[in-house]
Amino acid sequence: MAGKGLKSLNEAMKALSIASQPCRALPMRQSSILSSRRSMASVTTPPSANITRSVSEPWQPSMSTNTTANLDNIARAGKVLTQDSVTNVPVTVYSFPELEPRSLESYSARHLHLPLRRDILHLAVIYEGDSTRLGMASSKTRYEVHGSHKKMIAQKGTGHARRGTKQSPLQKGGGKSFGPKPRDFSTKLNKKVYDLAWRTALSYRYKRGELIVTEDGLDLPLPDDFLWLAGGGKLSRELEDAYVRKWVHEFMTGLNWGKEAGRTTFITGDKRPNLFTGFELAGAEGRALELWDVDVKDLLETGRIVIERSALKEMIKDHQSDLVTRVAVQGLRQKGPKLGEVLVRAPRY
């Protein structure tokens, strides 16, 4: 048994000595065809792998200088595209009712190119609705109901339930417990947020092409013959109203601004007789509002906004408190972006 153990031990030692010997390099044979093919091109050696890199280090693919530069350019271009780099937007001023371009003006992007913020618009509409809510509901308490405050019947001995005065809420015609009283439903909203909602609504209209700016003096061009007859008292009131209603309908339908197109809101600096009277009679086609009577909700309701140039500038000027400041720093005060800088003006003939 000892001899067999020594024999197996010797065989194992021999196997270990053979495995520890280095392998002989075999000669590499290349065919003549392969060598002739590679003689016409430059032989490139592949980059050696970094086998000394630590396992904890993150792996990064090796890239050439051109590849890195291209990726940097792509990233830079994507950054420019994702950021809003618009600083000014053009606004065309039209004549009315011809709708011919008369001038091209520049407005700041912070006036007419703001992103849509539904939350801010919702806050502004709710704020306006709460401010216009009257809250005039009122009921009388037992102390306000007319009549004597004497006890109706004796407390005991009548066989009836005990009763107090006629003004008791338990009696018919008596006062009301915890009834409604006139109160103020108005809520509060930061002025800067409200002004931002105004310019957000204008920007929403501008981006959709639904903000039409006209020259000052916006009014409906009623026919001269009709104005002459109406001024002379030769037409009855019913006939005048019927004619104006039909004329406004045909006029708005021809411009594709009428009821079928979502109606139109006209905004002017002051009241214009033909414009306001026409839309009082033909309210289904649109409406006319003075600048002081406009709210954020009015800018969002109808299909488009037609506004005078001066009214637009006044509207933006009154609602840019978040862009200007009353605090002077080193003697300078932030005045905000320019309003309606004229770029091109059409010649008048």
Side-chain angles (χ1 to χ4, degrees):
M1 296 295 291
K4 289 184 179 180
L6 281 174
K7 185 177 179 180
S8 61
L9 180 61
N10 293 333
E11 290 178 357
M13 294 297 294
K14 288 180 180 180
L16 288 175
S17 63
I18 294 173
S20 62
Q21 293 179 2
C23 297
R24 292 179 298 175
L26 296 177
M28 298 293 293
R29 294 184 180 180
Q30 295 182 356
S31 61
S32 60
I33 299 176
L34 183 60
S35 60
S36 63
R37 287 181 180 177
R38 290 193 175 181
S39 62
M40 298 299 294
S42 61
V43 180
T44 59
T45 59
S48 59
N50 185 11
I51 60 175
T52 62
R53 179 176 58 86
S54 175
V55 178
S56 61
E57 295 179 4
W59 178 80
Q60 295 181 355
S62 59
M63 293 183 296
S64 62
T65 306
N66 296 334
T67 306
T68 306
N70 293 336
L71 292 178
D72 292 342
N73 294 334
I74 293 173
R76 192 179 299 109
K79 184 178 181 180
V80 172
L81 291 177
T82 54
Q83 292 180 350
D84 190 6
S85 57
V86 179
T87 56
N88 295 289
V89 292
V91 175
T92 304
V93 180
Y94 297 92
S95 61
F96 190 82
E98 297 84 3
L99 295 181
E100 296 180 356
R102 301 304 306 169
S103 63
L104 183 66
E105 299 182 354
S106 174
Y107 282 80
S108 173
R110 290 181 290 178
H111 289 158
L112 294 178
H113 205 270
L114 295 175
L116 179 60
R117 291 287 303 274
R118 297 178 183 270
D119 54 339
I120 292 181
L121 294 177
H122 178 264
L123 290 175
V125 172
I126 296 299
Y127 166 73
E128 293 172 351
D130 293 342
S131 300
T132 56
R133 188 174 178 181
L134 296 179
M136 298 300 294
S138 180
S139 62
K140 292 183 179 181
T141 65
R142 64 185 303 168
Y143 303 104
E144 296 172 341
V145 177
H146 178 73
S148 173
H149 290 271
K150 181 182 177 181
K151 186 175 176 63
M152 298 178 63
I153 58 176
Q155 181 76 0
K156 297 178 180 294
T158 61
H160 297 284
R162 50 194 172 186
R163 299 180 185 179
T165 62
K166 294 191 302 181
Q167 293 82 6
S168 173
L170 302 179
Q171 303 296 329
K172 183 178 179 180
K176 186 174 179 63
S177 299
F178 309 107
K181 286 294 182 179
R183 62 188 179 120
D184 185 13
F185 284 92
S186 62
T187 55
K188 293 183 179 181
L189 184 64
N190 192 299
K191 178 175 175 56
K192 294 184 178 181
V193 177
Y194 186 54
D195 290 348
L196 181 60
W198 274 83
R199 302 198 316 276
T200 301
L202 290 174
S203 301
Y204 171 75
R205 290 299 194 181
Y206 174 83
K207 291 181 179 180
R208 292 171 58 92
E210 298 171 350
L211 181 65
I212 297 95
V213 183
T214 66
E215 295 179 321
D216 296 341
L218 177 64
D219 202 356
L220 283 181
L222 294 174
D224 295 335
D225 297 339
F226 168 76
L227 295 176
W228 181 77
L229 292 174
K234 299 181 180 181
L235 300 176
S236 62
R237 185 62 179 270
E238 293 77 9
L239 186 59
E240 290 182 12
D241 295 347
Y243 179 84
V244 172
R245 191 179 299 109
K246 183 177 180 181
W247 188 91
V248 171
H249 171 73
E250 294 179 353
F251 177 78
M252 298 295 288
T253 304
L255 293 176
N256 196 23
W257 287 358
K259 180 179 179 180
E260 295 77 8
R263 302 172 71 235
T264 302
T265 299
F266 292 83
I267 302 176
T268 59
D270 52 2
K271 195 168 184 177
R272 309 294 161 76
N274 295 342
L275 182 67
F276 281 74
T277 303
F279 283 105
E280 287 176 1
L281 298 173
E285 307 298 329
R287 59 180 177 175
L289 298 173
E290 294 184 64
L291 180 59
W292 62 269
D293 198 23
V294 179
D295 291 330
V296 174
K297 185 179 180 181
D298 299 325
L299 299 177
L300 301 171
E301 282 187 331
T302 57
R304 66 202 50 81
I305 303 296
V306 180
I307 184 172
E308 289 181 335
R309 174 180 177 272
S310 60
L312 176 62
K313 295 178 66 175
E314 188 69 22
M315 182 183 297
I316 296 176
K317 183 179 178 181
D318 293 341
H319 297 92
Q320 58 172 354
S321 62
D322 55 323
L323 302 179
V324 300
T325 179
R326 296 181 179 180
V327 179
V329 179
Q330 296 181 355
L332 300 177
R333 183 182 300 174
Q334 184 180 358
K335 298 181 179 180
K338 293 184 178 180
L339 289 172
E341 184 179 0
V342 179
L343 302 177
V344 180
R345 191 184 301 275
R348 295 185 177 274
Y349 298 100

